[in-house]
């Protein structure tokens, strides 16, 4: 079977392959001896079902079947193997070590000498390149959501000290279930974390204009950006209507090498903030890139800085005036504190007034933000049902398997839905609608998602800490639960709705429940 560099963890990388060329890709023509055929079984395990396409490096991409686990896989083959495939195999092994819902899983990396191949998770869907070719430029909200997912994936990659090196519309895959994943890491010595971040700006630009900025990001078979007389890419707002000014600035700043690029986690947080605003961009405020606690504002946005400084000066003057008033009145116990009530100058007297508490707002949840947690011996055959709990339709649901006892047949500690909010948020409550009353349920939180393998689900079950149980039932039949269990001074990213006890199924046969909807409210 040749030299196998096997991935033992459910890492991430896809069947769609067009992206940037690496030095290894440019070494010479791809040879075709030992060509694979339909029905052939590689490494005594991976049966080739259909030749999908050839990627930009000339490698063949196949849809296959893992005959041991009976699951679909993507197989990417390179001719020949050996030294010419070293970079491809090493990138696959590196990628397998990073676990994130927005990266596609790498299962195997094998070198047979005459050919080498990487076996990856098969994702039903299409690349961003194909999506834009079919539908045309995307609306700003959808472009933002896609960029948010990719930035979140890069934050996980960069946290390990690695670089992806191939962020491109051809390696950005949108699954049929709405999940957005980044594929085909192919970093070489010329790549950098900054290049990855700039490429997210390229994805935003491409998604909204159907053009890829060659000079700023890298050459591609995609059409180059429209450019002005100085050779700079035209802003998306100049190409199409409806692009919010804030998103336009963000995109161009990411492409402009005169502007300091943010870290991946800072960019992910900024895109999460914009993504949560849906189509209302009026109140999102200035860029909030922060690295090491120091704001990194775009250097060319001088007007923004001047306005910000002027606002700080005004605030300082107002504070000074009130400070002087406080000092001069501190010795007079009869002094009445005055608060300006409105722009017309109406005043009220009495104790110090406090701003009303903010009203919790629903946080938009999408299919790529939730997954089913099913500790061993779970088969995760219901994994695709996770999207049903956030689709806004109470008639669709995630349904647990049936068990002989309410405690999951004493086989596991529970099951649940893990929510990744994309960034840390202040939360108010979680609301859960189920098919039946009498469900034992609690909310837990953790610091990371160890992945959707059986090992990862086992870690979630043991490491996520319990925050509390439901405070109220908003419907008399007990099918709606409200969990007011969050600390106002703590921010949360990973929240687990954890079922500890099942009710009897509707037909009275064994124990089972359906989770119809989950809503998260925050500030």
């Amino acid at each position: 079977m040749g030299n196998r560099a096997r991935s033992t963890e459910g890492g991430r990388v896809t069947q769609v392959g067009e992206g940037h060329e690496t030095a290894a890709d440019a070494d010479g023509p791809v040879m075709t001896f030992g060509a694979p055929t339909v029905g052939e079984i590689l490494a005594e395990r991976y049966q080739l079902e259909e030749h999908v396409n050839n990627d930009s490096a000339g490698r063949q991409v196949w849809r296959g079947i893992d005959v041991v686990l009976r699951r679909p896989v993507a197989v990417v083959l390179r001719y020949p193997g050996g030294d010419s495939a070293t970079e491809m195999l090493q990138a696959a092994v590196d990628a397998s070590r990073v676990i994130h819902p927005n990266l596609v899983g790498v299962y195997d990396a094998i070198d047979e000498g005459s050919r080498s191949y990487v076996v990856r998770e098969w994702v039903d869907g299409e690349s961003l390149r194909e999506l834009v070719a079919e539908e045309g430029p995307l609306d700003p909200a959808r472009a933002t959501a896609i960029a948010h997912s990719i930035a979140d994936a890069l934050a996980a990659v960069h946290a390990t000290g690695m670089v992806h090196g191939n962020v491109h519309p051809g390696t950005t895959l949108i699954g049929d279930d709405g999940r957005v994943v980044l594929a085909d890491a192919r970093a070489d010595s010329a790549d950098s974390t900054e290049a990855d971040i700039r490429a997210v700006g390229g994805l935003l630009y491409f998604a909204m204009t159907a053009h890829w900025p060659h000079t700023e990001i890298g050459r591609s078979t995609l059409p180059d950006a429209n450019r002005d007389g100085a050779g700079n890419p035209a802003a998306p707002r100049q190409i199409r209507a409806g692009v919010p000014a804030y998103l336009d600035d963000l995109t161009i700043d990411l492409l402009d090498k005169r502007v300091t690029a943010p870290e991946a986690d800072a960019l992910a947080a900024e895109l999460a903030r914009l993504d949560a605003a849906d189509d209302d961009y009026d109140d999102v405020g200035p860029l909030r890139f922060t690295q090491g606690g120091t704001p990194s504002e775009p250097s060319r946005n001088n007007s923004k800085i001047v306005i910000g400084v002027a606002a700080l000066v005004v605030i300082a003057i107002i504070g000074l005036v009130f400070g002087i008033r406080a000092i001069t009145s501190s010795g007079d116990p009869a002094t009445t504190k005055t608060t300006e009530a409105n722009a017309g100058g109406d005043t009220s007297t009495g104790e110090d007034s406090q701003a009303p508490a903010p009203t919790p707002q629903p946080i938009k949840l999408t299919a790529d933000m939730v997954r089913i947690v099913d500790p061993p011996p779970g088969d995760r055959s219901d994994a695709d049902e996770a999207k049903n709990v956030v689709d806004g339709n109470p008639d669709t649901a995630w349904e647990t398997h049936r068990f002989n006892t309410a405690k999951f047949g004493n086989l596991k500690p529970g099951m649940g839905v893990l929510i990744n909010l994309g960034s840390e948020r202040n939360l108010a409550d979680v609301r859960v609608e189920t098919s039946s009353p009498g469900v034992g349920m609690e909310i837990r939180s953790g610091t990371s998602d160890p992945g959707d393998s059986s090992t990862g689900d086992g870690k979630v079950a043991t490491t996520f800490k319990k925050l509390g149980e439901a405070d109220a039932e908003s419907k008399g039949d007990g099918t709606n639960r409200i969990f007011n269990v969050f600390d106002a001074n703590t921010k949360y990213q990973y929240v687990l709705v954890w079922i500890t006890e099942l009710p009897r199924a509707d037909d009275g046969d064994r124990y089972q429940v359906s989770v119809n909807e989950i809503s998260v409210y925050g500030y």
Side-chain angles (χ1 to χ4, degrees):
M1 286 191 290
N3 181 26
R4 169 174 294 193
R6 188 176 188 88
S7 162
T8 58
E9 296 182 277
R12 307 270 165 189
V13 188
T14 187
Q15 65 266 21
V16 176
E18 202 224 330
H20 306 306
E21 290 189 357
T22 65
D25 296 333
D27 284 344
V30 175
M31 303 177 68
T32 57
F33 56 82
T37 58
V38 173
E40 181 179 359
I41 297 180
L42 306 178
E44 301 179 357
R45 179 166 185 172
Y46 306 109
Q47 181 170 318
L48 300 179
E49 297 287 307
E50 178 186 9
H51 178 215
V52 178
N53 67 346
N54 290 349
D55 72 6
S56 60
R59 297 173 294 193
Q60 288 192 13
V61 183
W62 286 74
R63 178 177 60 82
I65 294 291
D66 181 336
V67 298
V68 175
L69 297 181
R70 304 307 302 170
R71 65 181 175 185
V73 294
V75 182
V76 181
L77 299 104
R78 182 182 177 90
Y79 305 106
D83 292 342
S84 66
T86 299
E87 201 164 277
M88 177 187 79
L89 296 172
Q90 186 58 52
V93 172
D94 290 343
S96 73
R97 297 170 183 158
V98 186
I99 300 174
H100 193 276
N102 298 119
L103 292 169
V104 186
V106 178
Y107 302 142
D108 236 336
I110 301 169
D111 183 11
E112 294 182 345
S114 61
R115 62 186 179 184
S116 297
Y117 41 92
V118 173
V119 182
R120 303 169 178 162
E121 174 187 4
W122 176 269
V123 177
D124 287 319
E126 58 187 341
S127 68
L128 177 60
R129 176 193 62 208
E130 294 165 332
L131 179 63
V132 171
E134 293 171 3
E135 300 183 6
L138 308 182
D139 65 79
R142 192 174 187 190
T144 300
I146 291 171
H148 173 206
S149 295
I150 299 304
D152 211 29
L154 289 175
V157 173
H158 293 178
T160 67
M162 294 190 292
V163 175
H164 187 275
N166 199 23
V167 180
H168 184 275
T171 59
T172 300
L173 190 68
I174 294 91
D176 293 339
D177 60 356
R179 177 182 171 213
V180 177
V181 291
L182 181 59
D184 203 14
R186 282 155 55 185
D188 61 20
S189 58
D191 292 308
S192 65
T193 56
E194 179 182 349
D196 281 350
I197 297 301
R198 302 288 183 198
V200 177
L203 291 180
L204 280 168
Y205 195 95
F206 176 79
M208 294 188 291
T209 69
H211 289 263
W212 179 254
H214 291 192
T215 303
E216 293 74 18
I217 308 300
R219 298 200 62 82
S220 170
T221 57
L222 298 171
D224 189 17
N226 295 327
R227 298 184 180 274
D228 59 23
N232 298 316
R237 281 167 66 90
Q238 296 174 305
I239 299 172
R240 57 173 292 189
V243 177
Y246 176 86
L247 185 59
D248 190 77
D249 283 347
L250 176 60
T251 302
I252 294 301
D253 285 343
L254 289 172
L255 298 179
D256 190 346
K257 295 182 180 178
R258 297 170 299 176
V259 179
T260 303
E263 300 291 343
D265 55 354
L267 177 59
E270 186 69 354
L271 288 167
R273 188 169 69 103
L274 187 56
D275 191 12
D278 295 325
D279 294 325
D280 183 7
Y281 295 87
D282 294 337
D283 299 324
V284 293
L287 302 181
R288 293 186 182 176
F289 295 141
T290 302
Q291 301 175 52
T294 302
S296 176
E297 295 287 350
S299 58
R300 66 179 180 83
N301 289 342
N302 294 326
S303 61
K304 295 178 182 177
I305 297 175
V306 171
I307 293 172
V309 171
L312 289 175
V313 171
V314 172
I315 293 171
I317 292 173
I318 293 173
L320 180 60
V321 170
F322 278 94
I324 292 171
R325 289 183 180 179
I327 292 171
T328 57
S329 63
S330 60
D332 182 5
T335 301
T336 301
K337 299 176 182 178
T338 303
T339 303
E340 187 171 338
N342 53 45
D346 292 340
T347 60
S348 60
T349 60
E351 298 298 324
D352 288 334
S353 62
Q354 296 183 355
T359 302
Q361 299 295 324
I363 296 174
K364 182 180 180 181
L365 300 179
T366 56
D368 60 323
M369 298 168 69
V370 295
R371 73 174 185 82
I372 304 302
V373 174
D374 188 3
D379 60 11
R380 286 180 295 286
S381 60
D382 52 356
D384 289 341
E385 295 180 8
K387 62 181 182 294
N388 295 338
V389 305
V390 294
D391 62 359
N393 181 4
D395 293 330
T396 60
W398 161 52
E399 187 176 58
T400 68
H401 298 301
R402 291 187 174 224
F403 294 87
N404 291 326
T405 72
K407 296 289 188 179
F408 300 91
N410 297 320
L411 298 173
K412 62 184 70 183
M415 297 178 69
V417 177
L418 178 60
I419 304 168
N420 179 0
L421 297 172
S423 62
E424 293 184 339
R425 303 284 298 268
N426 287 112
L427 300 182
D429 59 67
V430 171
R431 307 175 188 186
V432 184
E433 179 180 348
T434 59
S435 60
S436 305
V439 183
M441 191 183 303
E442 60 192 39
I443 296 296
R444 299 185 178 187
S445 70
T447 58
S448 65
D449 180 0
D452 58 356
S453 64
S454 59
T455 301
D457 283 357
K459 288 182 179 179
V460 170
T462 57
T463 63
F464 272 52
K465 295 182 179 180
K466 178 180 176 180
L467 299 181
E469 299 178 355
D471 286 348
E473 295 185 355
S474 59
K475 287 173 61 176
D477 61 4
T479 58
N480 279 36
R481 305 292 183 87
I482 301 176
F483 295 85
N484 300 303
V485 296
F486 298 98
D487 182 350
N489 297 317
T490 303
K491 292 187 175 181
Y492 306 85
Q493 178 174 347
Y494 298 94
V495 176
L496 178 65
V497 176
W498 188 241
I499 300 174
T500 58
E501 186 170 350
L502 298 170
R504 277 198 176 273
D506 292 340
D507 58 9
D509 181 21
R510 297 195 290 180
Y511 295 82
Q512 182 182 42
V513 74
S514 295
V515 177
N516 300 73
E517 284 296 311
I518 296 176
S519 302
V520 178
Y521 284 72
Y523 305 103

